[in-house]
Amino acid sequence: MARLEFDKILEQLARHTISALGRERALALRPVSDLNLVRRYQAETEEGCNLLRLEPNVDFSGWHDIREPVRRTERGLVLDGETLFRIGQTLAAIRVQQKFMADRRERYPLLAARAGEMPVFPKLEARIKKCILPGGEVADDASARLAELRRRLQAARTQVRERLERLVRSPAQQKYLQEPIITIREGRYVVPVKIEYRNQVPGLVHDQSASGATLFVEPLAVVEKNNEIRRLEAAEKQELMKILTGLSSGVATVASDLLRAVDVLGYLDFVLAKARFSRQLEAVPPRVEPGAYLEFCQARHPLIRENAVAIDGRLGRDFDLLVLTGPNTGGKTVALKTMGLLVLMTQAGLHVPATACVVGLFGAVFADIGDEQSIENSLSTFSAHMANLVEIVRRVGRDSLVLIDELGTGTDPTEGAALAQAILEELHRRNARVVATTHYGELKEFATSRVRVENASVEFDLDTLQPTFRLITGRPGRSYAFEIAARLGMPPGLISRAREFLTTDQQRTADLLEQLEKSQQEAERLREAVQEALREAAALKDRYDSELASLLEKKKALRERAAREAQELVRRARREAEVIIRELRERINAESNRAREQAIQDARRRLDRLGTSIPADHSPERPLEVPEALEAGETVFIPRYGQQGVTLGPARDGEVRVQVGAVKISLPLAEVRRTTAAPAEPPAETKVLFQKAREVKTELDLRGLRAEEALAELEKYINAASLSGIPRAYLIHGLGTGALRNAVHNYLKGDRRIRSFRLGERGEGGLGVTVVEF
């Protein structure tokens, strides 16, 4: 794996961890060959990516590597306060992370299950939090005795300082002091006394200055209090040891469970590091399937950050052995390493830098890449490669992946090519999956003549004489030695002379490969142009389909709105009819009651039929054909109007006359659709309404009517006038007091069918007439 630089991948992964445990797991990561295990690792990485995407502010830090302190407690050792505080922080992190995952079990089932393995320690966490302050100091209320000792200690220190303050401020004593300050020597409060006044300040000498001019004296007045302070400090120290011992014992009691919980914390950190690494690489989860094969699209080498050329390739489905040829510095080795790293990263549970990738499981991955020359072991380049290949041939088995760079080089070309063919043949016989790079023409012929063996090449741009680094399967490549030499400044004469040394067959083969490469490059450019045109056409189609769907939706909404408005008109007519019926019942006399009641019931039945006569949506459920020709009497559907009609004659010059109800129109053939459904016959009541509408006059005389009566007549008139299609009407209300005119105007303002109205002019009736525009 080192030859493929998988260790560098792990180093980059480790940089994304936040703990020592996570880093250890990252550096120890190895590929596995168990299908279910690989799928689980990949699923965990995917859940980690989803967690970072959906919970961007989540923070899983704030805990420490406490494995060694916990093991010390198992041996009976007592931990200091700072270490216990870090253990308390870790206990809190265990509790928080376990609850976080438990609350999101449905969203992250695998990570939640792993976090569920962590036991929590609320009592121990609460004890440590109560007793240990940040920085490791033991809190006063860690125990009642500690609180009492510290209170007494504080009081004693205060008393000593107060006495010494009075001494240093005393004018009689200040002349004996070097400085009016209080300091501490050997844990006892002292004052600095000039050496010549030693006998003037009785007390115990604890220290002397470097110059010898100052003695640090503990005055006799505070000796007893200082002694009390020392006793209290000793008692405090004993109580602190008792508290720390109790907490350390509590940690030791749960040591095994705590170590297991910390291990899970490290595993979660490791999974999230894989997710962060995936985001950095812009990687995707590979599809993992049984079988030893590899397919990838737009894959990039994960260690090449800038200007990495994406490549497509496959191995193991339609061929098991791939011979990769092409010029030096053309990208053969990078392609080889990319394929190996895709497999190793997939089987280690990492996402891969590609747009799509399908990976089967390989039992083992072998690689012989790079210059293995060793002076210390007296190995030449060829010998080093052969040593590696001998080991590979010895260990390779079915479903192994073998990657060999520059197979057979470093020795006589003829013998090297023969040895390379023998090695490839043996690997192929053992059902290994092999990718080998070479410059030997014999290996190109080997790939052409064998079953499940394929040629491939790295592309070289003949126009710029530069490699494109693209991998092309199915075509052998050239080395382009002459072209590269010319680009680097080799004199043309030397290159021409070099070409003369080629045999006729070699020259013919080189020319054939060059023509083939040019043709394939041109075909590739055309294919890309066609694909771009297809993408543009698909985008346009999607756009037009979306616009068509929007228009159809608007059309449907308009029809539904029209139906609702029609139903509202019918409901208003029914209400008006009920009013009329009620008035008729009040006015009829008893002799004619039966006959009139019968007439009323007949009128109501007609109104009911009128309410159900609203035209339905006649749009066909499925698209109808555009007719090429039509004859008289055929039923057609007109999409523009959403109506059916009957043709009045055969189509002529691309047009046809159609009768829709009482209307006859000429339409282009492209605007009608042939249908087998018969045109809907309008109800008799609707025919009566249209007949009455055609008989509507352009004026309505409302004079002599009360306002309520006039408005009822006005509503009936406007309904009929709207159906008739007249553009203008004259409403005669007279002059009078103006009450009837105002009622009419107020009604007209609230009717949406009225475009405008005004009082009549001279010759139209003046102020006694209102002119209405529909």
Side-chain angles (χ1 to χ4, degrees), residues 539-558:
L540 287 174
K541 182 179 181 301
D542 291 342
R543 174 186 170 189
Y544 291 138
D545 286 346
S546 175
E547 292 180 355
L548 177 60
S550 176
L551 289 174
L552 291 176
E553 187 65 27
K554 290 179 181 178
K555 181 180 178 181
K556 180 181 177 182
L558 288 174

Side-chain angles (χ1 to χ4, degrees), residues 29-47 110 267 270 274 285-291 293 342-352 357-363:
L29 181 63
R30 294 295 180 268
V32 296
S33 55
D34 181 272
L35 179 62
N36 293 329
L37 205 54
V38 172
R39 286 177 172 171
R40 177 184 176 86
Y41 291 163
Q42 288 290 342
E44 287 178 345
T45 305
E46 182 66 11
E47 285 188 10
L110 294 176
Y267 188 82
F270 163 67
K274 292 196 294 181
R287 192 169 80 244
V288 184
E289 297 180 355
Y293 60 87
L342 291 178
V343 172
L344 294 177
M345 292 175 70
T346 296
Q347 296 187 202
L350 300 175
H351 288 176
V352 295
C357 186
V358 182
V359 181
L361 292 183
F362 292 89

Side-chain angles (χ1 to χ4, degrees), residues 21 37 80 109 132 143 162 189 215 220 335 378 524 573 622 647 665 748 766 774:
L21 286 87
L37 205 54
D80 58 44
I132 308 298
S143 72
E162 287 177 351
Y189 288 96
L215 298 176
L220 292 177
S378 301
E524 182 68 18
R622 56 181 180 272
T647 58
I665 55 176
L748 295 175
F774 290 97

